[in-house]
Amino acid sequence: MTLVLVRRAFVACRSHACDMLQHRLMSAGPKLAPVAFTALDGGGQLAKITMNYPPANLFDSSSLQALGAAMDAVEATSDVRGLVLQSDVRGFFSAGFSLPALYNVDRAGFERLWVTGKHVFRRIYALPVPSIAAIDGHALGLGCVMAMACQRRFMVASERPPLIGLNEVAVGMPVPEWLATRFRDLTSTRDAELILPRGSSLSPTQAHKIGLVDSLYASRSEMDDAIHSDFNSCRVSARAQQETIRGLRRQFLDYFDTCFDQDTELFWQAISSHETQTAIGNALAQLKAKSRKPN
């Protein structure tokens, strides 16, 4: 779950999305993930976490801690009946890990970042209520991972379609076994074997076809209306629903917990390799040079 945009942003550089990303990734912004609670018609509350760390909702220690703090608030609210994870940054759900956070990082810093990201994924996945990732923009690398932690993924298929996917392999990073398992559960073994080893990113239509995305919408407002209607139409017992979700997710969580520490060494070797660090350095240098060019 790292260097999510190097291949498309700095090697291919063929799409509008990639060109836009080159302009944006270098700047910093506030690391915020506010939570709002709204009453549902059937009782209880819907929690909405809105990622808002421009320009691309990149994940570093600060933004991951903000998302973790948002989950603290959700978990502390006893009558939450649903969760929506969304973005307030135009064009991005999340572009994944921040490149500067991974450049010349020492082992302790890497492990903090890696472990924090996995903990946040686990907390979203383990929440025993229906959850939807409301995707209006690119969802790449760790951004796609956080969306995959949710029960469903709704996505806006705009005129210039955003991309979604786990493109780690494209920049020299293996996909963790637990994450490949989650991807396979959502799609199929065949799709996982064809897509993940290539580091491919998908259009909304492609992602919907294989089951990575559950529903497509023409606009953000249409998607928001569908989410509102979906949660407000639910009238089942909260306790029965929550126990059912816990049972359905227990097997994967047991597996996830068993292998939680196993991939740290593997990924440290990958991120600290000369090849990967050179790729990050080159990407950052290109971004810096482009940011200095007059508009």
Side-chain angles (χ1 to χ4, degrees):
M1 301 161 324
T2 183
L3 310 185
V4 295
L5 301 174
V6 174
R7 184 191 186 197
R8 289 184 177 273
F10 311 114
V11 179
C13 290
R14 294 185 182 118
S15 72
H16 168 78
C18 296
D19 185 62
M20 176 172 56
L21 230 38
Q22 285 183 321
H23 286 288
R24 294 184 172 187
L25 290 180
M26 288 297 290
S27 59
K31 305 298 190 291
L32 301 174
V35 189
F37 296 92
T38 57
L40 292 171
D41 293 346
Q45 298 189 80
L46 175 64
K48 289 186 178 181
I49 298 176
T50 304
M51 297 183 291
N52 185 25
Y53 16 99
N57 283 338
L58 295 170
F59 288 113
D60 56 16
S61 293
S62 178
S63 53
L64 284 171
Q65 288 170 7
L67 189 52
M71 285 302 299
D72 288 342
V74 174
E75 292 166 347
T77 305
S78 60
D79 64 342
V80 166
R81 295 294 309 274
L83 170 69
V84 175
L85 181 63
Q86 61 187 9
S87 166
D88 202 31
V89 175
R90 184 179 180 183
F92 291 91
F93 180 78
S94 169
F97 267 131
S98 163
L99 292 181
L102 297 170
Y103 189 49
N104 289 333
V105 64
D106 60 23
R107 179 160 187 151
F110 165 76
E111 289 187 359
R112 283 193 299 272
L113 198 63
W114 185 253
V115 169
T116 301
K118 289 196 291 186
H119 272 301
V120 172
F121 168 88
R122 190 196 189 285
R123 293 174 69 184
I124 296 172
Y125 183 86
L127 195 71
V129 298
S131 56
I132 294 174
I135 305 169
D136 184 12
H138 301 291
L140 297 167
L142 190 56
C144 182
V145 173
M146 295 305 177
M148 288 168 59
C150 295
Q151 185 185 57
R152 288 178 290 170
R153 282 142 302 284
F154 290 4
M155 193 169 189
V156 175
S158 56
E159 193 171 312
R160 289 183 170 174
L163 300 174
I164 182 171
L166 303 174
N167 56 352
E168 286 77 6
V169 170
V171 292
M173 300 293 291
V175 176
E177 186 175 336
W178 58 268
L179 184 54
T181 298
R182 175 63 176 155
F183 187 93
R184 187 177 61 210
D185 288 346
L186 293 172
T187 59
S188 71
T189 298
R190 182 61 174 161
D191 288 322
E193 289 182 347
L194 290 174
I195 293 168
L196 297 184
R198 291 177 174 268
S200 301
S201 298
L202 307 173
S203 70
T205 301
Q206 291 170 325
H208 183 250
K209 183 177 180 179
I210 67 171
L212 181 60
V213 168
D214 297 277
S215 300
L216 297 179
Y217 300 93
S219 67
R220 178 68 176 263
S221 61
E222 183 184 2
M223 179 174 67
D224 289 344
D225 288 345
I227 291 171
H228 183 267
S229 176
D230 184 273
F231 280 108
N232 276 305
S233 65
C234 185
R235 295 290 195 277
V236 300
S237 160
R239 172 181 252 178
Q241 184 180 69
Q242 290 171 13
E243 288 305 314
T244 300
I245 292 174
R246 286 191 180 97
L248 287 167
R249 299 206 155 188
R250 185 174 295 116
Q251 183 177 11
F252 177 82
L253 287 171
D254 289 345
Y255 163 67
F256 179 86
D257 292 342
T258 298
C259 65
F260 189 89
D261 296 323
Q262 294 176 0
D263 60 17
T264 300
E265 178 63 28
L266 173 67
F267 281 83
W268 166 244
Q269 293 299 326
I271 198 66
S272 63
S273 71
H274 176 74
E275 178 184 7
T276 301
Q277 286 296 309
T278 298
I280 299 174
N282 289 341
L284 292 173
Q286 290 181 41
L287 287 170
K288 187 175 182 180
K290 188 159 188 175
S291 69
R292 290 175 175 173
K293 290 181 180 180
N295 293 330

